[in-house]
Amino acid sequence: MKRGGALLARPRGKATEPTAEERAALLARPRLAPDVQVHEPIEDGAPWLVQRGSQHYIRVGADMVRLLRSLDGSRDHSGLVEVLGPPWREGDVGRAVERLDRMELLEDGAKRRHSGAWFKYVPPLTFQFTVVRPERLLRRLTSLLGGLAGRAGAGLALALSVGGVLALALRAPDVYRALGEPMPLSYLIALACASVVTTALHELGHGLVLTHHGGRPSRMGVMLFYLTPAFFCDVSDGWRLPHRRQRVQVAAAGIATQTVIAGTAALTAWAAGSAGGALDVWDAVLVFAVSTYTTSLLNLLPFVKLDGYIALMSHLDLPHLRDRTMTDARSFLAKMLFGGTGYTRELPRLRWSVAFGLASMVFPLYLVALAGSLWLGLIQGTGIVGATLILTGVCALGYRVWTGGRRLTRQARDAGARTGRITVVWVFVAAAVAAAAAFVSVPYTITGGYVTEDGRTTLALSTTADRAALREGAKVTLERRGLVTRTDLATAHITTPTARHGVAPLSAFVPVREGDTVPVPAYRVPLRVDDGEPDGAGTARVAAGHRPLGTWLYLNYIAPAWR
């Protein structure tokens, strides 16, 4: 298209930027970007919304709406003032245009490659693949399930959710045993499939409630969320709903769906177990119920971008709550560390915004550490695949820490902090981290498995295990491991550290029972059992002395990918 005789359009698909003259011409006669829409209020009292792309919604006032609807590229700033009338003045229009440009709502003259209809990249590390446009399907389901939207449906859901918790409490010994016992491989696969279906129903629950309230779920599909497979349902249209209560219900619908499924599974397992049903089957159902309840609780946490956070943000009616509180927290940290006086609070009325922002920064790291303590040994036992996953996670975590440090520094500079003090503080932090890495000593453990055959027990190590750390006489703890808990069975020690390449049953690395029929590559090291009676195969932990913290981190999280 042409503006003032200059050709401002770029060849389609190229990520080229306009020149300064072209940008000035565009801002002189501003025009809305092609992917920007202005939505009228759904009902009286509801806000006007500006939609950018498929997911970004911004609330605006009626005066701003008048300006947005006038931005067709045919008028300069003075012409816009003539059309808009009071209270708009030319300076007001100029400032508003600059703000809209920063918000990426105006055409900027650059034609970039956009994600297709089936794929969308969401920074920093989410890749979404659209499978279905669910609006028509969800409307039909909503009409069929309309009776469940009332008090009777809510009461039934609450009864199932709470009843399942009581059922698990009544069978607490069975639950503990099921979490600590290996299960048949077929049941483990069924458990994984059931979890996938439950996650899909979780997302369907969001879409159904949004549709019930008059919204339009735009996309459903699968995604890689920080490289973890998951489902998604795009319910960004929920911001158009007029009442906070409705938006909270949309956010909480997934959790409610999961707790109902978990409660139904727990009650079924309790009833079948009481009637003398097949033990293995109902143990697997108990594990499924516990894992589903646990996932629901994690989704309630408000410090990560999960359903609990979205529900809190909707209840407070504060868009981008987490980002804004983290900005306040970074301002607090930057002022404390670097000085400066030009800090402003994003949410000055929220007395707890700094504390919430600090928790939002730290809590994801805690979740990663907790997951590592539960699953690190199991992941390492899968060989190069697990080592690659761990290294990828470390790189992603390092990137997040680096970008967080850059934001903190930039915020301090913008507030007038002196470069010298910023440099000194970061040098001190680097020195403290280096000192901790060099002088803090931590126990080093090598995780593997054990195999008992014909009265002889051997240590089984994955191909990425640290075989160089094995020493004659090193203590080895032999365990029976379930999906969550573990039980010590015996102690042994290494008779000779020489490792011979061969195979070991899958059950030495993964808590399954039929692992003997699935051999995997492994190194075998002879052991002598000191006490206890290990049988079959299970988990083994080798005490390999102490290492400096930096060395320990390298050996556990980075080195396995190179071995």
Side-chain angles (χ1 to χ4, degrees):
M1 63 190 72
K2 293 185 178 181
R3 293 289 184 271
L7 186 64
L8 299 183
R10 299 286 180 177
R12 186 179 301 273
K14 293 188 177 180
T16 54
E17 294 294 332
T19 65
E21 293 78 9
E22 291 171 337
R23 289 281 292 159
L26 284 167
L27 294 179
R29 292 179 176 270
R31 179 188 182 96
L32 286 183
D35 62 344
V36 172
Q37 304 176 57
V38 179
H39 296 286
E40 296 184 1
I42 293 180
E43 62 182 46
D44 291 341
W48 288 86
L49 290 174
V50 178
Q51 180 182 355
R52 187 187 74 210
S54 63
Q55 291 185 305
H56 300 282
Y57 288 81
I58 304 166
R59 293 181 182 178
V60 294
D63 286 334
M64 181 60 74
V65 169
R66 292 168 55 214
L67 172 63
L68 291 168
R69 287 181 164 177
S70 303
L71 300 181
D72 58 5
S74 64
R75 304 177 183 90
D76 59 12
H77 293 193
S78 61
L80 289 169
V81 171
E82 292 178 7
V83 170
L84 296 172
W88 287 99
R89 293 176 296 182
E90 194 165 337
D92 298 327
V93 170
R95 287 187 291 271
V97 166
E98 290 179 1
R99 183 182 177 189
L100 294 173
D101 184 53
R102 290 195 300 269
M103 297 167 68
E104 301 179 3
L105 298 179
L106 301 181
E107 183 177 304
D108 62 1
K111 294 292 184 181
R112 298 180 175 86
R113 295 184 183 273
H114 294 285
S115 298
W118 64 275
F119 171 74
K120 184 176 182 63
Y121 169 65
V122 182
L125 202 61
T126 299
F127 305 89
Q128 297 179 343
F129 301 88
T130 300
V131 175
V132 64
R133 302 287 179 177
E135 185 175 353
R136 187 174 301 176
L137 170 64
L138 290 177
R139 283 181 179 175
R140 293 176 180 175
L141 289 176
T142 302
S143 62
L144 292 174
L145 302 176
L148 297 177
R151 292 184 178 180
L156 176 61
L158 181 62
L160 289 172
S161 300
V162 175
V165 174
L166 295 176
L168 292 178
L170 290 174
R171 295 197 61 184
D174 292 331
V175 171
Y176 182 80
R177 175 181 47 77
L179 294 175
E181 292 277 354
M183 67 172 55
L185 180 60
S186 59
Y187 291 1
L188 184 61
I189 295 173
L191 180 62
C193 293
S195 297
V196 169
V197 172
T198 300
T199 305
L201 293 175
H202 169 115
E203 298 300 327
L204 193 65
H206 290 305
L208 283 171
V209 174
L210 176 60
T211 304
H212 171 74
H213 288 308
R216 301 190 302 269
S218 58
R219 301 177 301 130
M220 286 188 69
V222 296
M223 67 178 176
L224 292 176
F225 180 70
Y226 288 87
L227 303 181
T228 302
F231 290 92
F232 75 91
C233 180
D234 188 347
V235 292
S236 302
D237 197 58
W239 281 110
R240 298 180 61 229
L241 299 179
H243 303 296
R244 302 184 191 184
R245 171 181 53 82
Q246 294 173 329
R247 296 193 292 272
V248 171
Q249 289 174 354
V250 172
I255 297 174
T257 301
Q258 279 190 295
T259 56
V260 167
I261 294 172
T264 303
L267 288 169
T268 304
W270 173 76
S274 300
L279 185 62
D280 286 348
V281 173
W282 300 117
D283 278 356
V285 176
L286 286 174
V287 172
F288 169 73
V290 171
S291 65
T292 305
Y293 271 125
T294 302
T295 304
S296 302
L297 288 175
L298 289 175
N299 264 304
L300 276 173
L301 296 173
F303 305 120
V304 287
K305 287 186 176 180
L306 298 174
D307 295 344
Y309 161 73
I310 297 173
L312 175 63
M313 179 175 61
S314 300
H315 172 69
L316 296 175
D317 204 26
L318 289 173
H320 309 293
L321 173 66
R322 188 170 179 268
D323 291 340
R324 296 163 76 180
T325 58
M326 287 197 295
T327 298
D328 285 347
R330 282 193 297 269
S331 295
F332 170 79
L333 290 175
K335 185 175 182 179
M336 184 176 62
L337 293 173
F338 307 122
T341 58
Y343 298 100
T344 57
R345 289 278 296 272
E346 287 278 331
L347 299 170
R349 296 183 180 180
L350 287 186
R351 299 171 58 184
W352 45 266
S353 67
V354 171
F356 189 91
L358 291 172
S360 298
M361 291 177 179
V362 174
F363 201 79
L365 301 178
Y366 169 75
L367 286 181
V368 170
L370 179 63
S373 65
L374 290 175
W375 303 105
L376 180 62
L378 184 61
I379 295 174
Q380 287 178 334
T382 61
I384 188 61
V385 175
T388 302
L389 288 174
I390 292 172
L391 181 59
T392 302
V394 169
C395 292
L397 182 61
Y399 173 76
R400 296 292 291 175
V401 172
W402 169 257
T403 56
R406 289 182 59 188
R407 289 179 181 176
L408 188 65
T409 302
R410 184 168 58 248
Q411 224 162 313
R413 286 177 174 170
D414 292 343
R418 296 181 178 179
T419 302
R421 178 169 173 176
I422 293 175
T423 303
V424 169
V425 169
W426 280 125
V427 169
F428 177 80
V429 170
V433 170
F439 300 112
V440 174
S441 181
V442 294
Y444 179 46
T445 301
I446 303 171
T447 301
Y450 75 86
V451 181
T452 299
E453 298 171 320
D454 301 326
R456 294 181 299 177
T457 301
T458 57
L459 174 68
L461 297 175
S462 71
T463 54
T464 60
D466 186 8
R467 300 185 303 277
L470 300 178
R471 297 290 182 269
E472 183 177 347
K475 180 181 177 182
V476 183
T477 303
L478 311 181
E479 303 169 335
R480 178 175 60 245
R481 176 168 184 167
L483 288 178
V484 178
T485 63
R486 60 183 75 182
T487 303
D488 290 351
L489 297 178
T491 58
H493 67 266
I494 295 175
T495 57
T496 174
T498 303
R500 295 184 178 180
H501 190 268
V503 295
L506 180 64
S507 52
F509 302 107
V510 180
V512 294
R513 294 183 186 172
E514 306 99 326
D516 295 346
T517 61
V518 185
V520 295
Y523 286 90
R524 305 287 286 270
V525 179
L527 298 176
R528 188 173 69 189
V529 178
D530 299 324
D531 61 77
E533 297 182 358
D535 59 347
T539 301
R541 293 184 293 113
V542 182
H546 287 68
R547 299 289 189 279
L549 178 60
T551 303
W552 182 88
L553 291 171
Y554 172 77
L555 291 174
N556 274 303
Y557 298 103
I558 299 176
W562 318 131
R563 295 191 185 114

